[in-house]
């Protein structure tokens, strides 16, 4: 039997509940629209003459808005507010930000567009993440649902950046904002069908977790589970900070050049970013499938070790005329690390939190993305402006990575 035949793929897809398939489709189209906006906006505004610090402060503004909206989103999700409506509202805010960024020429308008983009992300991510386990059933574990969702995210982002990259060659890079608007409108069409939320106790089928959680009756206001999440949230803060660096700072590093490595053109930077995302789309499902039965400490230790290898390659690339070759090589361990982290962290958060508080837990997890984006791009931007290269940045991140590897044993 050919596992890659059309019928096999179709049968595999049909295994998933209809409501989960709708969520996966919505995530795919969200990623297509967001991919170009998130990864190529720094290139657009760098070309407009914005400094690395100004671009980083825009990401910080988006993160501040995201942190604010995540707090409310987690609360309302726990109160059984429809995640479908939350996703639609996030789409409206995203469309508003696209219009602002498309016409933006000044620093103030750039900050305004980033603010609404961050607010949209703060509403979207907790809702889209919680929607996955809520729509699994007795035959589909949340870990498998998250692997599929992350694969859709990776494919979507890759395709979105690819379209944006083509736009750079035709001098129409801002087409990424129009594409995002089209994708947001299509998501409204996808979610026009009512998605049944159902009872969370019946939807989440995690036998091992449920047995542990219900050994004793927990007080409604018992927050000890948050303390147990600290080691995982600490690593999440770091890895999400790394994601911000790869999204915002790496393109600037490539455009500005290293100590010896020459600067790259806008088209070349966009092409390299596209290659990195293609690797993410290729590796996401196989890596998630291979490691699906491994314990969390092993997964996160392997994730951090892969990141360390990638940063070593990025650091050394600064000293070579053909440093782009090492940059390309670094994409492999960096991509594998993200493929390990993204589905594993979401599933670990769900399994480690009380069922009645999973909306809050996902919001806390998603908040790490916001906190990292609030601080990392701005600090990294100042570092690049002061030293003219990202060499020192990659050294610092490598050292932090080595320290955190020892923290993995504390993750349950």
């Amino acid at each position: 039997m050919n596992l890659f035949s059309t019928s096999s793929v179709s049968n595999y897809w049909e295994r998933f509940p209809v409501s989960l398939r709708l969520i996966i489709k919505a995530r795919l189209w969200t990623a297509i629209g967001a991919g170009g906006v998130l990864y190529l906006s720094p290139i657009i505004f760098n070309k407009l003459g914005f400094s690395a610090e100004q671009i980083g402060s825009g990401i910080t503004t988006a993160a501040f808005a995201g942190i604010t909206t995540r707090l409310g989103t987690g609360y309302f999700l726990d109160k059984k507010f429809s995640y479908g409506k939350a996703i639609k509202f996030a789409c409206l805010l995203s469309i508003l930000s696209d219009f602002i960024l498309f016409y933006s020429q000044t620093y103030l308008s750039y900050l305004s567009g980033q603010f609404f983009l961050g607010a949209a992300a703060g509403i979207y991510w907790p809702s889209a993440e919680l929607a996955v386990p809520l729509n699994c059933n007795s035959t589909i574990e949340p870990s498998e649902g998250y692997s599929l969702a992350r694969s859709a995210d990776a494919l979507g982002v890759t395709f979105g950046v690819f379209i944006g990259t083509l736009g750079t060659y035709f001098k129409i890079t801002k087409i990424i904002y129009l594409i995002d608007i089209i994708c947001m409108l299509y998501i409204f069409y996808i979610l026009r069908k009512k998605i049944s939320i159902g009872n969370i106790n019946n939807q989440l089928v995690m036998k091992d977790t449920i047995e542990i959680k219900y050994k004793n009756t927990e007080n409604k206001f018992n927050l000890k589970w948050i303390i147990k999440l600290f080691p995982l949230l600490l690593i999440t803060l770091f890895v999400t900070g790394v994601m911000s660096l790869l999204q915002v700072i790496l393109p600037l590093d490539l455009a500005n050049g290293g100590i010896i490595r020459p600067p790259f053109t806008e088209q070349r930077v966009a092409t390299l970013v596209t290659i990195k995302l293609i690797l993410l789309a290729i590796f996401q499902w196989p890596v998630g499938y291979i490691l699906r039965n491994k314990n969390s400490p092993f997964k996160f230790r392997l994730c951090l070790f892969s990141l360390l290898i990638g940063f070593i390659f990025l650091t050394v690339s600064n000293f070579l005329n053909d440093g782009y070759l090492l940059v390309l090589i670094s994409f492999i361990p960096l991509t594998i690390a993200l493929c390990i982290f993204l589905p594993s962290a979401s599933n670990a958060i769900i399994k480690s939190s009380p069922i009645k508080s999973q909306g809050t837990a996902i919001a806390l997890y998603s908040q790490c993305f916001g906190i990292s984006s609030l601080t990392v791009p701005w600090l990294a931007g100042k570092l690049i402006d002061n030293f003219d290269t990202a060499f020192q940045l990659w050294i610092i991140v490598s050292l932090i990575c080595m320290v955190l590897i020892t923290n993995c044993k504390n993750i349950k």
Side-chain angles (χ1 to χ4, degrees):
M1 179 181 178
N2 183 4
L3 294 177
F4 297 98
S5 66
T6 303
S7 59
S8 297
V9 172
S10 177
N11 290 337
Y12 177 78
W13 176 245
E14 293 296 330
R15 289 178 58 239
F16 296 93
V18 174
S19 57
L20 181 59
R21 279 182 269 161
L22 289 175
I23 291 298
I24 299 301
K25 288 179 181 178
R27 290 183 67 136
L28 173 66
W29 284 92
T30 300
I32 291 174
V37 174
L38 294 176
Y39 282 89
L40 298 183
S41 285
I43 300 176
I44 291 175
F45 290 98
N46 184 58
K47 191 174 182 180
L48 288 174
F50 287 39
S51 69
E53 184 178 354
Q54 285 178 318
I55 294 173
S57 65
I59 307 300
T60 300
T61 300
F64 176 78
I67 286 174
T68 304
T69 53
R70 280 184 182 91
L71 290 173
T73 302
Y75 173 80
F76 283 113
L77 289 174
D78 279 341
K79 297 298 181 181
K80 303 300 183 293
F81 184 80
S82 169
Y83 55 76
K85 292 180 180 178
I87 292 174
K88 290 178 182 178
F89 184 63
C91 289
L92 289 176
L93 290 179
S94 182
I95 290 172
L96 177 60
S97 74
D98 290 326
F99 274 114
I100 295 173
L101 291 172
F102 183 83
Y103 291 105
S104 178
Q105 295 292 327
T106 66
Y107 180 53
L108 183 59
S109 60
Y110 166 67
L111 290 181
S112 299
Q114 289 291 335
F115 178 85
F116 287 109
L117 181 65
I123 296 172
Y124 170 80
W125 276 112
S127 306
E129 286 288 90
L130 187 61
V132 173
L134 285 180
N135 288 284
C136 292
N137 57 25
S138 58
T139 60
I140 303 297
E141 292 287 337
S143 58
E144 188 173 5
Y146 276 123
S147 293
L148 185 63
R150 290 302 183 182
S151 297
D153 294 340
L155 286 170
V157 169
T158 302
F159 188 63
V161 174
F162 175 73
I163 296 174
T165 300
L166 292 179
T168 64
Y169 285 95
F170 292 98
K171 309 298 181 183
I172 51 172
T173 312
K174 281 195 171 183
I175 195 175
I176 58 177
Y177 301 117
L178 300 179
I179 292 171
D180 191 40
I181 291 173
I182 293 172
C183 290
M184 296 303 103
L185 293 175
Y186 186 63
I187 290 170
F188 275 96
Y189 173 76
I190 292 176
L191 297 182
R192 73 193 187 281
K193 299 178 181 179
K194 184 177 180 181
I195 303 176
S196 175
I197 296 178
N199 188 307
I200 191 168
N201 293 336
N202 294 328
Q203 294 276 18
L204 298 178
V205 183
M206 295 177 287
K207 295 180 180 178
D208 54 337
T209 307
I210 292 175
E211 288 175 1
I212 295 174
K213 289 175 181 176
Y214 288 98
K215 281 181 180 179
N216 300 304
T217 303
E218 297 186 10
N219 188 286
K220 183 178 181 180
F221 299 103
N222 186 0
L223 299 180
K224 289 182 180 179
W225 59 273
I226 295 181
I227 298 175
K228 294 179 181 178
L229 288 181
F230 276 171
L232 177 56
L233 293 176
L234 183 62
I235 291 178
T236 300
L237 273 173
F238 173 72
V239 179
T240 53
V242 167
M243 293 171 66
S244 294
L245 291 177
L246 297 180
Q247 173 189 319
V248 181
I249 300 302
L250 180 59
L252 296 179
D253 177 32
L254 297 177
N256 294 335
I259 295 175
I260 296 177
R261 188 189 68 225
F264 295 163
T265 63
E266 176 186 359
Q267 291 81 6
R268 198 172 186 183
V269 172
T271 300
L272 286 172
V273 170
T274 302
I275 290 173
K276 180 171 69 70
L277 294 173
I278 289 173
L279 290 175
L280 185 64
I282 292 173
F283 288 151
Q284 183 65 77
W285 177 254
V287 170
Y289 182 79
I290 292 171
L291 298 177
R292 68 191 187 282
N293 294 324
K294 300 294 183 180
N295 60 47
S296 292
F298 175 82
K299 289 179 182 178
F300 291 112
R301 193 176 295 113
L302 182 60
C303 167
L304 291 170
F305 185 71
S306 298
L307 285 177
L308 178 60
I309 294 174
F311 292 133
I312 291 174
F313 280 119
L314 285 179
T315 303
V316 177
S317 75
N318 277 266
F319 299 98
L320 299 175
N321 238 340
D322 294 328
Y324 71 92
L325 294 175
L326 286 184
V327 172
L328 283 172
I329 293 173
S330 74
F331 287 170
I332 296 175
L334 290 174
T335 300
I336 290 174
L338 296 183
C339 289
I340 295 171
F341 172 79
L342 289 170
S344 302
S346 299
N347 192 47
I349 287 288
I350 286 293
K351 292 176 68 175
S352 301
S353 57
I355 287 180
K356 291 184 178 180
S357 301
Q358 284 176 343
T360 300
I362 283 291
L364 284 174
Y365 164 67
S366 183
Q367 200 72 286
C368 292
F369 288 77
I371 294 172
S372 297
S373 297
L374 184 65
T375 55
V376 172
W378 180 73
L379 292 173
K382 285 188 70 70
L383 194 65
I384 290 179
D385 285 341
N386 290 335
F387 293 98
D388 295 326
T389 73
F391 169 73
Q392 293 82 359
L393 176 63
W394 303 132
I395 289 289
I396 293 171
V397 175
S398 298
L399 293 175
I400 297 174
C401 203
M402 287 188 281
V403 172
L404 285 178
I405 288 176
T406 61
N407 184 57
C408 294
K409 62 184 179 182
N410 298 319
I411 298 176
K412 304 300 181 183

